Amino acid sequence: MEGGGSGGRAASVAPARMTSVSRHYFGGSASEHHHDLHVDIIENIEEDYGMFVWPCSVILAEYVCQQRSRFSASRVVELGAGTSLPGLVAAKVGADVTLTDIAQNSEVLNNIRRICALNSASCTVSGLTWGEWDEPLFDLHPDIILGADVLYDSANFDDLFATVTFLLENSSGAVFITTYHNRSGHHLIEFLMVKWGLKCLKLLDGFSFLPPCKAASLQGNIQLVEIALDKEKHK
């Protein structure tokens, strides 16, 4: 087990303005002195919401770690990766990971690259805008698609589900795993799953599997859902 560093999610201030590096522990009791791995994240709340670690990201990353045998040697794509915590945990447990965010948002994409370098993670970083059919999208054949708090703006839901559905169709047996605040409206999500020919495989309370030290520092009504193609509708 690894040790060292500051406890919990304490941050050490980096040279850049309003930029910090937070350390996140996984495995064991997910604490400074008892963990299997850690991920360091460069955050900058001033610049963009995609450069801050939100609770949904922490919960999805914890789920990845707890399901590590499932992720090891899998091809993983994270959508709307932002600071990429779930994808980086997947990489650390042996997945082949592609981290994506809005193609035009070079600041976020460059920050993802810096975070990968900080963690010595060999991830592919690619611009991918939901609902746009650019060439990089056609090269992706994931076993697992990740998305933390990607269901935050209902105006983007159709574009997101169009992209997710294409990736699921592009990879037999693939699954989309996402965490979201209930502010998103689960009834709307259910409607979109039906519309795009998808089905729910699993729905969990996001706090049901969190170690106590993490649950105590997070707030919100957060759900984790696993989604797959409804094969009856894709014959």
Side-chain angles (χ1 to χ4, degrees):
M1 291 190 177
E2 298 177 348
S6 54
R9 197 171 163 276
S12 57
V13 177
R17 175 175 61 93
M18 292 301 292
T19 299
S20 63
V21 176
S22 58
R23 175 161 289 186
H24 303 261
Y25 299 109
F26 299 91
S29 62
S31 64
E32 175 185 357
H33 300 294
H34 188 246
H35 60 276
D36 298 331
L37 62 91
H38 72 261
V39 176
D40 293 327
I41 299 292
I42 303 168
E43 301 184 71
N44 189 340
I45 191 62
E46 274 196 337
E47 296 298 328
D48 191 288
Y49 56 78
M51 295 174 69
F52 184 77
V53 178
W54 299 99
C56 282
S57 187
V58 175
I59 289 172
L60 184 55
E62 179 64 31
Y63 187 73
V64 171
C65 183
Q66 292 185 19
Q67 299 267 322
R68 67 183 69 189
S69 61
R70 179 182 179 187
F71 282 82
S72 179
S74 293
R75 296 165 298 180
V76 173
V77 171
E78 184 173 0
L79 301 177
T83 52
S84 309
L85 183 60
L88 285 165
V89 172
K92 289 216 170 192
V93 300
D96 178 3
V97 177
T98 298
L99 303 169
T100 74
D101 212 299
I102 299 171
Q104 294 77 19
N105 201 334
S106 59
E107 183 66 23
V108 170
L109 292 171
N110 287 334
N111 195 54
I112 293 173
R113 294 183 180 98
R114 288 191 291 268
I115 293 170
C116 288
L118 181 64
N119 289 280
S120 301
S122 299
C123 301
T124 300
V125 179
S126 179
L128 192 162
T129 303
W130 307 335
E132 295 186 5
W133 311 108
D134 297 327
E135 186 176 348
L137 180 65
F138 294 88
D139 295 329
L140 298 175
H141 301 276
D143 301 304
I144 301 172
I145 306 161
L146 297 175
D149 212 3
V150 291
L151 295 163
Y152 59 86
D153 184 352
S154 59
N156 296 324
F157 281 11
D158 266 318
D159 286 339
L160 170 64
F161 273 80
T163 298
V164 167
T165 302
F166 176 84
L167 291 173
L168 293 174
E169 290 176 331
N170 218 22
S171 305
S172 178
V175 63
F176 174 45
I177 308 175
T178 183
T179 46
Y180 64 94
H181 285 273
N182 254 352
R183 65 169 187 267
S184 307
H186 190 71
H187 291 301
L188 177 55
I189 295 166
E190 289 176 334
F191 168 78
L192 287 163
M193 283 194 288
V194 172
K195 177 180 178 179
W196 289 97
L198 307 177
K199 64 180 179 180
C200 176
L201 299 178
K202 182 187 292 186
L203 180 64
L204 297 174
D205 179 342
F207 288 87
S208 65
F209 52 84
L210 276 185
C213 62
K214 291 186 179 180
S217 64
L218 300 178
Q219 294 181 342
N221 183 3
I222 298 173
Q223 305 292 317
L224 180 144
V225 63
E226 295 199 17
I227 296 171
L229 285 180
D230 186 339
K231 293 182 181 178
E232 292 299 314
K233 297 181 180 179
H234 287 266
K235 288 182 177 179

